[in-house]
mmCIF file of all heavy atoms in Angstrom:
data_model
loop_
_atom_site.group_PDB
_atom_site.id
_atom_site.type_symbol
_atom_site.label_atom_id
_atom_site.label_comp_id
_atom_site.label_asym_id
_atom_site.label_seq_id
_atom_site.Cartn_x
_atom_site.Cartn_y
_atom_site.Cartn_z
ATOM 1 N N VAL A 1 10.962 -6.961 13.343
ATOM 2 C CA VAL A 1 10.246 -6.238 12.299
ATOM 3 C C VAL A 1 11.248 -5.487 11.434
ATOM 4 O O VAL A 1 12.088 -4.733 11.919
ATOM 5 C CB VAL A 1 9.235 -5.253 12.887
ATOM 6 C CG1 VAL A 1 8.553 -4.486 11.780
ATOM 7 C CG2 VAL A 1 8.209 -5.953 13.777
ATOM 8 N N ASP A 2 11.162 -5.714 10.104
ATOM 9 C CA ASP A 2 12.053 -5.032 9.180
ATOM 10 C C ASP A 2 11.498 -3.668 8.886
ATOM 11 O O ASP A 2 10.868 -3.412 7.912
ATOM 12 C CB ASP A 2 12.179 -5.853 7.893
ATOM 13 C CG ASP A 2 13.259 -5.309 6.962
ATOM 14 O OD1 ASP A 2 13.752 -4.209 7.233
ATOM 15 O OD2 ASP A 2 13.577 -5.986 5.970
ATOM 16 N N THR A 3 11.731 -2.735 9.846
ATOM 17 C CA THR A 3 11.159 -1.366 9.676
ATOM 18 C C THR A 3 11.730 -0.646 8.516
ATOM 19 O O THR A 3 11.049 0.209 7.935
ATOM 20 C CB THR A 3 11.432 -0.631 11.033
ATOM 21 O OG1 THR A 3 12.805 -0.661 11.354
ATOM 22 C CG2 THR A 3 10.602 -1.223 12.143
ATOM 23 N N ASP A 4 13.028 -0.888 8.161
ATOM 24 C CA ASP A 4 13.592 -0.198 7.068
ATOM 25 C C ASP A 4 12.818 -0.544 5.764
ATOM 26 O O ASP A 4 12.612 0.333 4.916
ATOM 27 C CB ASP A 4 15.060 -0.575 6.842
ATOM 28 C CG ASP A 4 15.952 0.012 7.929
ATOM 29 O OD1 ASP A 4 15.499 1.040 8.569
ATOM 30 O OD2 ASP A 4 17.053 -0.487 8.198
ATOM 31 N N ARG A 5 12.479 -1.791 5.623
ATOM 32 C CA ARG A 5 11.705 -2.230 4.446
ATOM 33 C C ARG A 5 10.404 -1.529 4.349
ATOM 34 O O ARG A 5 9.897 -1.128 3.327
ATOM 35 C CB ARG A 5 11.523 -3.742 4.442
ATOM 36 C CG ARG A 5 10.752 -4.276 3.223
ATOM 37 C CD ARG A 5 10.768 -5.790 3.214
ATOM 38 N NE ARG A 5 9.963 -6.319 2.138
ATOM 39 C CZ ARG A 5 8.653 -6.598 2.207
ATOM 40 N NH1 ARG A 5 8.034 -6.327 3.341
ATOM 41 N NH2 ARG A 5 7.962 -7.009 1.182
ATOM 42 N N LEU A 6 9.652 -1.438 5.532
ATOM 43 C CA LEU A 6 8.371 -0.794 5.618
ATOM 44 C C LEU A 6 8.491 0.691 5.193
ATOM 45 O O LEU A 6 7.642 1.230 4.472
ATOM 46 C CB LEU A 6 7.781 -0.883 6.991
ATOM 47 C CG LEU A 6 7.480 -2.301 7.487
ATOM 48 C CD1 LEU A 6 6.931 -2.247 8.894
ATOM 49 C CD2 LEU A 6 6.439 -2.980 6.566
ATOM 50 N N ARG A 7 9.539 1.302 5.644
ATOM 51 C CA ARG A 7 9.729 2.761 5.294
ATOM 52 C C ARG A 7 10.044 2.976 3.861
ATOM 53 O O ARG A 7 9.614 3.904 3.228
ATOM 54 C CB ARG A 7 10.854 3.330 6.192
ATOM 55 C CG ARG A 7 10.526 3.288 7.675
ATOM 56 C CD ARG A 7 11.722 3.795 8.493
ATOM 57 N NE ARG A 7 11.949 5.152 8.318
ATOM 58 C CZ ARG A 7 13.038 5.758 8.761
ATOM 59 N NH1 ARG A 7 13.979 5.032 9.401
ATOM 60 N NH2 ARG A 7 13.227 7.054 8.581
ATOM 61 N N ILE A 8 10.759 2.031 3.216
ATOM 62 C CA ILE A 8 11.062 2.106 1.785
ATOM 63 C C ILE A 8 9.764 1.896 1.067
ATOM 64 O O ILE A 8 9.524 2.591 0.025
ATOM 65 C CB ILE A 8 12.089 1.010 1.409
ATOM 66 C CG1 ILE A 8 13.439 1.406 1.931
ATOM 67 C CG2 ILE A 8 12.140 0.883 -0.100
ATOM 68 C CD1 ILE A 8 14.539 0.373 1.749
ATOM 69 N N ILE A 9 8.935 0.973 1.422
ATOM 70 C CA ILE A 9 7.594 0.802 0.765
ATOM 71 C C ILE A 9 6.799 2.065 0.802
ATOM 72 O O ILE A 9 6.160 2.466 -0.195
ATOM 73 C CB ILE A 9 6.797 -0.420 1.404
ATOM 74 C CG1 ILE A 9 7.555 -1.679 1.102
ATOM 75 C CG2 ILE A 9 5.396 -0.447 0.872
ATOM 76 C CD1 ILE A 9 6.967 -2.893 1.819
ATOM 77 N N ALA A 10 6.793 2.703 1.989
ATOM 78 C CA ALA A 10 6.071 3.992 2.138
ATOM 79 C C ALA A 10 6.648 5.067 1.277
ATOM 80 O O ALA A 10 5.934 5.857 0.647
ATOM 81 C CB ALA A 10 6.018 4.387 3.601
ATOM 82 N N LYS A 11 7.944 5.155 1.168
ATOM 83 C CA LYS A 11 8.634 6.132 0.300
ATOM 84 C C LYS A 11 8.257 5.926 -1.149
ATOM 85 O O LYS A 11 8.157 6.934 -1.905
ATOM 86 C CB LYS A 11 10.138 5.983 0.483
ATOM 87 C CG LYS A 11 10.918 7.044 -0.351
ATOM 88 C CD LYS A 11 11.511 8.104 0.550
ATOM 89 C CE LYS A 11 12.322 9.087 -0.252
ATOM 90 N NZ LYS A 11 13.039 10.066 0.549
ATOM 91 N N GLN A 12 8.061 4.704 -1.526
ATOM 92 C CA GLN A 12 7.673 4.401 -2.946
ATOM 93 C C GLN A 12 6.154 4.649 -3.144
ATOM 94 O O GLN A 12 5.648 4.507 -4.281
ATOM 95 C CB GLN A 12 7.925 2.896 -3.250
ATOM 96 C CG GLN A 12 9.411 2.545 -3.271
ATOM 97 C CD GLN A 12 9.614 1.055 -3.449
ATOM 98 O OE1 GLN A 12 8.882 0.252 -2.941
ATOM 99 N NE2 GLN A 12 10.615 0.686 -4.218
ATOM 100 N N LYS A 13 5.463 5.008 -2.070
ATOM 101 C CA LYS A 13 4.022 5.257 -2.162
ATOM 102 C C LYS A 13 3.228 3.983 -2.513
ATOM 103 O O LYS A 13 2.126 4.080 -3.067
ATOM 104 C CB LYS A 13 3.692 6.348 -3.139
ATOM 105 C CG LYS A 13 4.323 7.713 -2.802
ATOM 106 C CD LYS A 13 3.952 8.809 -3.754
ATOM 107 C CE LYS A 13 4.614 10.137 -3.398
ATOM 108 N NZ LYS A 13 4.248 11.233 -4.335
ATOM 109 N N ARG A 14 3.754 2.827 -2.098
ATOM 110 C CA ARG A 14 3.030 1.587 -2.324
ATOM 111 C C ARG A 14 2.224 1.279 -1.065
ATOM 112 O O ARG A 14 2.520 0.368 -0.279
ATOM 113 C CB ARG A 14 4.071 0.500 -2.613
ATOM 114 C CG ARG A 14 4.786 0.688 -3.959
ATOM 115 C CD ARG A 14 5.999 -0.241 -4.088
ATOM 116 N NE ARG A 14 5.634 -1.618 -3.784
ATOM 117 C CZ ARG A 14 6.433 -2.478 -3.202
ATOM 118 N NH1 ARG A 14 7.595 -2.085 -2.738
ATOM 119 N NH2 ARG A 14 6.050 -3.692 -3.001
ATOM 120 N N PHE A 15 1.203 2.073 -0.870
ATOM 121 C CA PHE A 15 0.472 2.011 0.390
ATOM 122 C C PHE A 15 -0.446 0.816 0.476
ATOM 123 O O PHE A 15 -0.822 0.391 1.597
ATOM 124 C CB PHE A 15 -0.274 3.318 0.643
ATOM 125 C CG PHE A 15 0.670 4.455 0.919
ATOM 126 C CD1 PHE A 15 0.752 5.530 0.011
ATOM 127 C CD2 PHE A 15 1.423 4.468 2.048
ATOM 128 C CE1 PHE A 15 1.599 6.559 0.272
ATOM 129 C CE2 PHE A 15 2.285 5.536 2.319
ATOM 130 C CZ PHE A 15 2.400 6.592 1.415
ATOM 131 N N GLN A 16 -0.863 0.257 -0.616
ATOM 132 C CA GLN A 16 -1.624 -0.993 -0.533
ATOM 133 C C GLN A 16 -0.715 -2.107 0.010
ATOM 134 O O GLN A 16 -1.145 -2.893 0.874
ATOM 135 C CB GLN A 16 -2.244 -1.406 -1.937
ATOM 136 C CG GLN A 16 -3.114 -2.634 -1.809
ATOM 137 C CD GLN A 16 -3.466 -3.231 -3.145
ATOM 138 O OE1 GLN A 16 -2.718 -3.123 -4.112
ATOM 139 N NE2 GLN A 16 -4.571 -3.944 -3.170
ATOM 140 N N ALA A 17 0.459 -2.217 -0.575
ATOM 141 C CA ALA A 17 1.441 -3.207 -0.045
ATOM 142 C C ALA A 17 1.769 -2.937 1.428
ATOM 143 O O ALA A 17 1.909 -3.859 2.210
ATOM 144 C CB ALA A 17 2.689 -3.207 -0.887
ATOM 145 N N LEU A 18 1.925 -1.682 1.814
ATOM 146 C CA LEU A 18 2.221 -1.342 3.170
ATOM 147 C C LEU A 18 1.118 -1.805 4.107
ATOM 148 O O LEU A 18 1.358 -2.337 5.196
ATOM 149 C CB LEU A 18 2.492 0.130 3.314
ATOM 150 C CG LEU A 18 2.843 0.683 4.713
ATOM 151 C CD1 LEU A 18 4.110 -0.001 5.202
ATOM 152 C CD2 LEU A 18 2.967 2.159 4.714
ATOM 153 N N SER A 19 -0.122 -1.558 3.679
ATOM 154 C CA SER A 19 -1.280 -1.953 4.523
ATOM 155 C C SER A 19 -1.266 -3.475 4.712
ATOM 156 O O SER A 19 -1.546 -3.933 5.822
ATOM 157 C CB SER A 19 -2.590 -1.525 3.876
ATOM 158 O OG SER A 19 -2.654 -0.128 3.802
ATOM 159 N N ARG A 20 -1.022 -4.201 3.670
ATOM 160 C CA ARG A 20 -0.965 -5.664 3.811
ATOM 161 C C ARG A 20 0.111 -6.097 4.752
ATOM 162 O O ARG A 20 -0.091 -6.969 5.573
ATOM 163 C CB ARG A 20 -0.692 -6.322 2.411
ATOM 164 C CG ARG A 20 -1.862 -6.166 1.423
ATOM 165 C CD ARG A 20 -1.724 -7.212 0.315
ATOM 166 N NE ARG A 20 -0.468 -7.138 -0.344
ATOM 167 C CZ ARG A 20 -0.258 -6.438 -1.469
ATOM 168 N NH1 ARG A 20 -1.214 -5.730 -1.989
ATOM 169 N NH2 ARG A 20 0.949 -6.413 -2.051
ATOM 170 N N GLU A 21 1.308 -5.489 4.689
ATOM 171 C CA GLU A 21 2.424 -5.846 5.518
ATOM 172 C C GLU A 21 2.095 -5.565 6.993
ATOM 173 O O GLU A 21 2.388 -6.349 7.871
ATOM 174 C CB GLU A 21 3.699 -5.098 5.074
ATOM 175 C CG GLU A 21 4.237 -5.448 3.765
ATOM 176 C CD GLU A 21 4.762 -6.889 3.740
ATOM 177 O OE1 GLU A 21 5.272 -7.388 4.774
ATOM 178 O OE2 GLU A 21 4.699 -7.586 2.682
ATOM 179 N N LEU A 22 1.523 -4.345 7.252
ATOM 180 C CA LEU A 22 1.185 -4.021 8.600
ATOM 181 C C LEU A 22 0.109 -4.943 9.202
ATOM 182 O O LEU A 22 0.123 -5.252 10.394
ATOM 183 C CB LEU A 22 0.716 -2.555 8.681
ATOM 184 C CG LEU A 22 1.838 -1.531 8.387
ATOM 185 C CD1 LEU A 22 1.200 -0.138 8.244
ATOM 186 C CD2 LEU A 22 2.862 -1.546 9.484
ATOM 187 N N ASN A 23 -0.799 -5.385 8.378
ATOM 188 C CA ASN A 23 -1.828 -6.328 8.842
ATOM 189 C C ASN A 23 -1.256 -7.643 9.285
ATOM 190 O O ASN A 23 -1.795 -8.285 10.175
ATOM 191 C CB ASN A 23 -2.916 -6.563 7.726
ATOM 192 C CG ASN A 23 -3.845 -5.351 7.537
ATOM 193 O OD1 ASN A 23 -3.897 -4.472 8.372
ATOM 194 N ND2 ASN A 23 -4.420 -5.310 6.369
ATOM 195 N N LYS A 24 -0.139 -8.010 8.659
ATOM 196 C CA LYS A 24 0.444 -9.317 9.009
ATOM 197 C C LYS A 24 1.285 -9.210 10.255
ATOM 198 O O LYS A 24 1.590 -10.226 10.897
ATOM 199 C CB LYS A 24 1.351 -9.772 7.829
ATOM 200 C CG LYS A 24 0.618 -10.121 6.541
ATOM 201 C CD LYS A 24 1.581 -10.483 5.462
ATOM 202 C CE LYS A 24 0.847 -10.757 4.132
ATOM 203 N NZ LYS A 24 1.843 -11.047 3.013
ATOM 204 N N ILE A 25 1.749 -8.044 10.615
ATOM 205 C CA ILE A 25 2.672 -7.891 11.767
ATOM 206 C C ILE A 25 1.851 -7.607 13.037
ATOM 207 O O ILE A 25 1.005 -6.673 13.118
ATOM 208 C CB ILE A 25 3.565 -6.660 11.516
ATOM 209 C CG1 ILE A 25 4.466 -6.941 10.296
ATOM 210 C CG2 ILE A 25 4.453 -6.425 12.737
ATOM 211 C CD1 ILE A 25 5.299 -5.735 9.848
ATOM 212 N N LYS A 26 1.984 -8.502 13.976
ATOM 213 C CA LYS A 26 1.258 -8.394 15.256
ATOM 214 C C LYS A 26 1.973 -7.536 16.264
ATOM 215 O O LYS A 26 1.379 -6.936 17.143
ATOM 216 C CB LYS A 26 1.037 -9.801 15.868
ATOM 217 C CG LYS A 26 0.281 -10.732 14.878
ATOM 218 C CD LYS A 26 -1.059 -10.222 14.432
ATOM 219 C CE LYS A 26 -1.738 -11.144 13.477
ATOM 220 N NZ LYS A 26 -3.003 -10.493 12.931
ATOM 221 N N GLU A 27 3.303 -7.461 16.164
ATOM 222 C CA GLU A 27 4.108 -6.743 17.172
ATOM 223 C C GLU A 27 3.923 -5.185 17.024
ATOM 224 O O GLU A 27 3.606 -4.693 15.941
ATOM 225 C CB GLU A 27 5.563 -7.002 16.990
ATOM 226 C CG GLU A 27 5.986 -8.440 17.185
ATOM 227 C CD GLU A 27 5.961 -9.232 15.873
ATOM 228 O OE1 GLU A 27 5.212 -8.790 14.969
ATOM 229 O OE2 GLU A 27 6.657 -10.284 15.777
ATOM 230 N N GLN A 28 3.973 -4.553 18.147
ATOM 231 C CA GLN A 28 3.999 -3.103 18.149
ATOM 232 C C GLN A 28 5.442 -2.658 18.002
ATOM 233 O O GLN A 28 6.353 -3.251 18.564
ATOM 234 C CB GLN A 28 3.404 -2.550 19.461
ATOM 235 C CG GLN A 28 1.920 -2.772 19.587
ATOM 236 C CD GLN A 28 1.182 -2.028 18.521
ATOM 237 O OE1 GLN A 28 1.474 -0.917 18.155
ATOM 238 N NE2 GLN A 28 0.075 -2.656 18.032
ATOM 239 N N PHE A 29 5.686 -1.567 17.256
ATOM 240 C CA PHE A 29 7.094 -1.093 17.088
ATOM 241 C C PHE A 29 7.039 0.434 16.921
ATOM 242 O O PHE A 29 5.958 1.024 16.569
ATOM 243 C CB PHE A 29 7.760 -1.755 15.901
ATOM 244 C CG PHE A 29 7.042 -1.588 14.570
ATOM 245 C CD1 PHE A 29 7.292 -0.510 13.792
ATOM 246 C CD2 PHE A 29 6.126 -2.550 14.181
ATOM 247 C CE1 PHE A 29 6.615 -0.382 12.542
ATOM 248 C CE2 PHE A 29 5.422 -2.402 12.993
ATOM 249 C CZ PHE A 29 5.670 -1.307 12.147
ATOM 250 N N GLU A 30 8.114 1.047 17.171
ATOM 251 C CA GLU A 30 8.252 2.502 17.032
ATOM 252 C C GLU A 30 7.911 2.952 15.595
ATOM 253 O O GLU A 30 8.520 2.403 14.665
ATOM 254 C CB GLU A 30 9.633 2.976 17.345
ATOM 255 C CG GLU A 30 9.975 2.839 18.832
ATOM 256 C CD GLU A 30 9.183 3.828 19.705
ATOM 257 O OE1 GLU A 30 8.762 4.896 19.195
ATOM 258 O OE2 GLU A 30 8.965 3.544 20.896
ATOM 259 N N GLY A 31 6.994 3.864 15.444
ATOM 260 C CA GLY A 31 6.680 4.375 14.097
ATOM 261 C C GLY A 31 5.535 3.687 13.478
ATOM 262 O O GLY A 31 5.058 4.059 12.401
ATOM 263 N N ARG A 32 4.978 2.623 14.097
ATOM 264 C CA ARG A 32 3.838 1.859 13.495
ATOM 265 C C ARG A 32 2.617 2.774 13.281
ATOM 266 O O ARG A 32 2.046 2.762 12.244
ATOM 267 C CB ARG A 32 3.478 0.692 14.342
ATOM 268 C CG ARG A 32 2.313 -0.082 13.757
ATOM 269 C CD ARG A 32 1.967 -1.360 14.447
ATOM 270 N NE ARG A 32 0.891 -2.077 13.773
ATOM 271 C CZ ARG A 32 0.867 -3.308 13.407
ATOM 272 N NH1 ARG A 32 1.907 -4.119 13.756
ATOM 273 N NH2 ARG A 32 -0.156 -3.817 12.796
ATOM 274 N N THR A 33 2.279 3.535 14.288
ATOM 275 C CA THR A 33 1.093 4.400 14.169
ATOM 276 C C THR A 33 1.234 5.381 13.048
ATOM 277 O O THR A 33 0.268 5.620 12.277
ATOM 278 C CB THR A 33 0.902 5.175 15.496
ATOM 279 O OG1 THR A 33 0.683 4.212 16.574
ATOM 280 C CG2 THR A 33 -0.307 6.074 15.414
ATOM 281 N N GLU A 34 2.400 5.994 12.904
ATOM 282 C CA GLU A 34 2.597 6.977 11.827
ATOM 283 C C GLU A 34 2.473 6.294 10.471
ATOM 284 O O GLU A 34 1.859 6.843 9.551
ATOM 285 C CB GLU A 34 4.004 7.625 11.930
ATOM 286 C CG GLU A 34 4.111 8.597 13.111
ATOM 287 C CD GLU A 34 4.303 7.972 14.433
ATOM 288 O OE1 GLU A 34 4.512 6.703 14.496
ATOM 289 O OE2 GLU A 34 4.214 8.615 15.452
ATOM 290 N N LEU A 35 3.010 5.094 10.324
ATOM 291 C CA LEU A 35 2.884 4.362 9.045
ATOM 292 C C LEU A 35 1.435 4.027 8.758
ATOM 293 O O LEU A 35 0.975 4.144 7.630
ATOM 294 C CB LEU A 35 3.744 3.092 9.115
ATOM 295 C CG LEU A 35 5.253 3.270 8.958
ATOM 296 C CD1 LEU A 35 5.961 1.929 9.290
ATOM 297 C CD2 LEU A 35 5.618 3.769 7.595
ATOM 298 N N GLU A 36 0.742 3.561 9.780
ATOM 299 C CA GLU A 36 -0.691 3.185 9.592
ATOM 300 C C GLU A 36 -1.506 4.369 9.187
ATOM 301 O O GLU A 36 -2.350 4.316 8.263
ATOM 302 C CB GLU A 36 -1.233 2.555 10.847
ATOM 303 C CG GLU A 36 -0.662 1.197 11.175
ATOM 304 C CD GLU A 36 -1.148 0.627 12.496
ATOM 305 O OE1 GLU A 36 -1.525 1.447 13.379
ATOM 306 O OE2 GLU A 36 -1.211 -0.608 12.692
ATOM 307 N N GLU A 37 -1.303 5.529 9.829
ATOM 308 C CA GLU A 37 -2.027 6.715 9.498
ATOM 309 C C GLU A 37 -1.682 7.220 8.104
ATOM 310 O O GLU A 37 -2.624 7.647 7.359
ATOM 311 C CB GLU A 37 -1.734 7.823 10.542
ATOM 312 C CG GLU A 37 -2.354 7.525 11.929
ATOM 313 C CD GLU A 37 -1.980 8.564 12.984
ATOM 314 O OE1 GLU A 37 -1.138 9.438 12.628
ATOM 315 O OE2 GLU A 37 -2.502 8.507 14.079
ATOM 316 N N GLN A 38 -0.426 7.148 7.752
ATOM 317 C CA GLN A 38 -0.041 7.579 6.409
ATOM 318 C C GLN A 38 -0.648 6.705 5.338
ATOM 319 O O GLN A 38 -1.141 7.183 4.306
ATOM 320 C CB GLN A 38 1.524 7.583 6.289
ATOM 321 C CG GLN A 38 1.988 8.179 4.990
ATOM 322 C CD GLN A 38 3.517 8.156 4.890
ATOM 323 O OE1 GLN A 38 4.156 7.420 5.607
ATOM 324 N NE2 GLN A 38 4.081 8.949 3.965
ATOM 325 N N ALA A 39 -0.639 5.391 5.585
ATOM 326 C CA ALA A 39 -1.215 4.482 4.591
ATOM 327 C C ALA A 39 -2.705 4.700 4.491
ATOM 328 O O ALA A 39 -3.250 4.738 3.396
ATOM 329 C CB ALA A 39 -0.884 3.006 4.991
ATOM 330 N N GLN A 40 -3.411 4.867 5.605
ATOM 331 C CA GLN A 40 -4.851 4.988 5.630
ATOM 332 C C GLN A 40 -5.299 6.263 4.919
ATOM 333 O O GLN A 40 -6.176 6.261 4.060
ATOM 334 C CB GLN A 40 -5.366 4.967 7.053
ATOM 335 C CG GLN A 40 -6.858 5.054 7.159
ATOM 336 C CD GLN A 40 -7.572 3.879 6.564
ATOM 337 O OE1 GLN A 40 -7.348 2.749 7.080
ATOM 338 N NE2 GLN A 40 -8.311 3.988 5.518
ATOM 339 N N SER A 41 -4.667 7.410 5.284
ATOM 340 C CA SER A 41 -5.059 8.695 4.645
ATOM 341 C C SER A 41 -4.750 8.668 3.165
ATOM 342 O O SER A 41 -5.600 9.240 2.389
ATOM 343 C CB SER A 41 -4.319 9.861 5.368
ATOM 344 O OG SER A 41 -2.913 9.725 5.181
ATOM 345 N N SER A 42 -3.674 8.099 2.760
ATOM 346 C CA SER A 42 -3.319 8.040 1.320
ATOM 347 C C SER A 42 -4.288 7.160 0.563
ATOM 348 O O SER A 42 -4.762 7.525 -0.533
ATOM 349 C CB SER A 42 -1.892 7.511 1.156
ATOM 350 O OG SER A 42 -0.952 8.380 1.766
ATOM 351 N N MET A 43 -4.648 5.979 1.119
ATOM 352 C CA MET A 43 -5.583 5.120 0.444
ATOM 353 C C MET A 43 -6.968 5.745 0.386
ATOM 354 O O MET A 43 -7.650 5.600 -0.647
ATOM 355 C CB MET A 43 -5.672 3.795 1.200
ATOM 356 C CG MET A 43 -4.465 2.890 1.054
ATOM 357 S SD MET A 43 -4.103 2.296 -0.652
ATOM 358 C CE MET A 43 -5.570 1.228 -0.924
ATOM 359 N N ASP A 44 -7.400 6.482 1.444
ATOM 360 C CA ASP A 44 -8.732 7.112 1.430
ATOM 361 C C ASP A 44 -8.778 8.193 0.307
ATOM 362 O O ASP A 44 -9.741 8.252 -0.412
ATOM 363 C CB ASP A 44 -9.024 7.732 2.791
ATOM 364 C CG ASP A 44 -9.342 6.718 3.844
ATOM 365 O OD1 ASP A 44 -9.606 5.522 3.485
ATOM 366 O OD2 ASP A 44 -9.328 7.054 5.018
ATOM 367 N N ARG A 45 -7.726 9.009 0.228
ATOM 368 C CA ARG A 45 -7.715 10.042 -0.768
ATOM 369 C C ARG A 45 -7.640 9.485 -2.169
ATOM 370 O O ARG A 45 -8.364 9.926 -3.093
ATOM 371 C CB ARG A 45 -6.538 11.035 -0.510
ATOM 372 C CG ARG A 45 -6.431 12.164 -1.572
ATOM 373 C CD ARG A 45 -7.696 12.954 -1.650
ATOM 374 N NE ARG A 45 -7.630 14.000 -2.664
ATOM 375 C CZ ARG A 45 -8.667 14.434 -3.293
ATOM 376 N NH1 ARG A 45 -9.881 13.972 -3.049
ATOM 377 N NH2 ARG A 45 -8.502 15.408 -4.206
ATOM 378 N N ALA A 46 -6.849 8.447 -2.320
ATOM 379 C CA ALA A 46 -6.721 7.829 -3.663
ATOM 380 C C ALA A 46 -8.034 7.169 -4.068
ATOM 381 O O ALA A 46 -8.400 7.201 -5.216
ATOM 382 C CB ALA A 46 -5.621 6.759 -3.660
ATOM 383 N N MET A 47 -8.782 6.616 -3.131
ATOM 384 C CA MET A 47 -10.061 5.984 -3.427
ATOM 385 C C MET A 47 -11.082 7.014 -3.866
ATOM 386 O O MET A 47 -11.840 6.781 -4.824
ATOM 387 C CB MET A 47 -10.558 5.285 -2.193
ATOM 388 C CG MET A 47 -11.826 4.453 -2.376
ATOM 389 S SD MET A 47 -12.324 3.617 -0.878
ATOM 390 C CE MET A 47 -10.993 2.538 -0.632
ATOM 391 N N GLU A 48 -11.094 8.215 -3.307
ATOM 392 C CA GLU A 48 -12.003 9.269 -3.689
ATOM 393 C C GLU A 48 -11.680 9.698 -5.120
ATOM 394 O O GLU A 48 -12.596 9.815 -5.949
ATOM 395 C CB GLU A 48 -11.809 10.453 -2.788
ATOM 396 C CG GLU A 48 -12.336 10.242 -1.332
ATOM 397 C CD GLU A 48 -12.062 11.436 -0.463
ATOM 398 O OE1 GLU A 48 -11.586 12.472 -0.960
ATOM 399 O OE2 GLU A 48 -12.306 11.369 0.767
#
């Protein structure tokens, strides 16, 4: 898993792209939960 790339996407606030990437990745990796929660909360607030 290219975790550095995922973290860069999150830093750019491209959380729709991050959600798509995480959906494609089946493996569990360190920091996945934090990325998923960050993407979800950001998308929810943006949607409101």
Side-chain angles (χ1 to χ4, degrees):
V1 178
D2 189 350
T3 52
D4 287 340
R5 179 172 178 273
L6 297 178
R7 297 174 69 190
I8 289 174
I9 292 174
K11 181 106 177 187
Q12 294 174 323
K13 299 181 181 180
R14 293 167 52 217
F15 292 114
Q16 186 193 24
L18 180 61
S19 296
R20 291 199 305 266
E21 292 294 327
L22 291 172
N23 287 341
K24 295 176 183 178
I25 298 172
K26 303 303 179 185
E27 298 91 336
Q28 291 296 322
F29 57 88
E30 290 291 334
R32 178 176 185 130
T33 299
E34 287 78 10
L35 285 170
E36 289 176 334
E37 291 177 351
Q38 187 180 17
Q40 182 65 63
S41 61
S42 297
M43 288 296 293
D44 286 346
R45 179 54 182 154
M47 185 178 297
E48 291 176 6

